[in-house]
Amino acid sequence: MTNRGRTSGTGAWPAVEYEPHPWVRTGEEVASRRALMRARGDYEAAVPPTIADVAVVVSGEVQALAADASGELARFDAEVGAIAAPFTGILLRTESASSSEIENLTASAKQVALAELGASDSANARLVAANVRAMEAALAVAENISEESIIAMHAALLEESDRDHTGRFRDQQVWIGGGGISPHEATFVPPHHSRVQPLMHDLVQFAGRTDIPVLVQAALAHAQFETIHPFTDGNGRTGRALIHTILKQGGLTRNLAVPVSAGLLANTQRYFDALGEFRSGNPEAIIGAVAQAAFHAVENGSRLVTDLRECEAAWAKHIPARRGSAVARLSDVLLAQPVVTTQIVAERLHVSIPAAQNAIDRFAAAGALLPVHAQRRNRVWFAPQILAALDSFGSRARRSR
């Protein structure tokens, strides 16, 4: 076993070590002769340290940064959570979309909303919509983080696109970067699959500790998860959902999925470099990256909430309605779900189909709802101002890079 990393400045956080494994070719690889020659012999896979009982020692500067970021997250969560419940759903969508974009899965807010209704032809949009389900699953298990709940989060993410690889941890070697026929030239080779189960058990124990500041714990658990890479696909998105599970479990957030991934999207190179530093024995880089991402998330999320409240105020001004009526309550539905059908509106408002259609017609007459297609039967409607605000949120995150 070799150690290609280094220890942290405090010596408190162990670096990843590496061990050789034989590589057996299938004989069906399609590659040049030179590439096949390079894919011979042993490869080195990571051996992450167990961290359940590791002392978490970071500098005063990083502690202060994490504390300030934690305060901003808690404040934003409390303030926005008290404004209106629909904002919780819209912020969860922005987090899911940003986390997916880190994996180069991009789709417009309109296509994602359509995908949630099963009405989008965009494969990327369907994958982002699946990430929304994974985030919902993650937040639902925040009181009981376990190996089983993490598998359930992953299943929610990939149940439609790759069901054959859900329901369990991986049973094969995976690698990041390099050639597609072997791990010999990979950027990083996660641990051999025989090590995944005990490492995930150890990670769950770490996630249950109560002696670590919550944001610090979330950052380190996320980095350890990405190092283990327990699934064949979907590790990044599942691992970022784990951040929110720990933030909620620790009480730092109670109402919202603050879009931390949008902050990570602002500087993806810093994020990936920080994961590499973590594996080398320096935990401070990923703590700093997640803390900075929290600041970006709160700033960008605050602008989104302002845009949404302006939309809501404009609707109230131009679409007068009796308090408590279906027309008045439709704005809350659209803030949470900006693409709807008459059936969805009727179900959300607990009104008849004619009453739901009347509310939609009032919004459509004011330009607040537009039909997705010209067809009159089974019509799907979208709120252009809300979708524009969501796309602007994404553009701001990308412009920060």
Side-chain angles (χ1 to χ4, degrees), residues 38-255:
R38 291 196 297 265
R40 296 190 306 177
D42 290 351
Y43 68 94
E44 286 197 325
V47 182
T50 54
I51 63 171
D53 299 314
V54 170
V56 178
V57 181
V58 296
S59 68
E61 180 181 359
V62 170
Q63 287 183 46
L65 178 67
D68 289 346
S70 298
E72 283 295 287
L73 285 175
R75 178 190 60 78
F76 182 73
D77 176 81
E79 289 180 0
V80 177
I83 295 172
F87 290 154
T88 64
I90 215 80
L91 286 167
L92 185 143
R93 284 176 174 81
T94 61
E95 167 61 20
S96 301
S98 297
S99 181
S100 297
E101 190 162 347
I102 291 174
E103 308 295 330
N104 296 315
L105 296 171
T106 60
S108 69
K110 181 178 179 180
Q111 286 301 318
V112 173
L114 284 168
E116 291 185 277
L117 303 184
S120 175
D121 294 328
S122 167
N124 277 4
R126 291 194 296 271
L127 289 171
V128 176
N131 202 23
V132 175
R133 293 193 294 273
M135 280 294 302
E136 291 170 339
L139 296 176
V141 301
E143 298 301 320
N144 181 29
I145 300 174
S146 66
E147 293 149 73
E148 292 74 20
S149 66
I150 291 172
I151 289 173
M153 289 157 51
H154 179 257
L157 177 67
L158 294 180
E159 63 184 354
E160 290 185 10
S161 62
D162 193 10
R163 183 172 296 178
D164 289 345
H165 290 102
T166 63
R168 64 189 185 280
F169 295 131
R170 59 180 168 89
D171 57 3
Q172 58 187 278
Q173 183 66 66
V174 296
W175 58 92
I176 301 170
I181 64 171
S182 84
H184 290 80
E185 297 184 320
T187 304
F188 176 68
V189 182
H192 189 267
H193 44 278
S194 62
R195 291 187 176 273
V196 169
Q197 184 74 52
L199 283 168
M200 288 302 295
H201 179 77
D202 175 78
L203 174 59
V204 167
Q205 299 305 305
F206 177 83
R209 287 172 57 174
T210 58
D211 62 323
I212 309 169
V214 177
L215 186 140
V216 172
Q217 184 178 31
L220 296 178
H222 169 68
Q224 181 76 347
F225 179 95
E226 298 304 327
T227 299
I228 299 169
H229 237 63
F231 302 109
T232 55
D233 190 23
N235 291 284
R237 286 164 287 166
T238 305
R240 286 184 289 276
L242 181 63
I243 292 176
H244 289 277
T245 306
I246 293 175
L247 293 178
K248 186 175 181 183
Q249 173 190 255
L252 192 54
T253 56
R254 300 177 184 274
N255 306 299

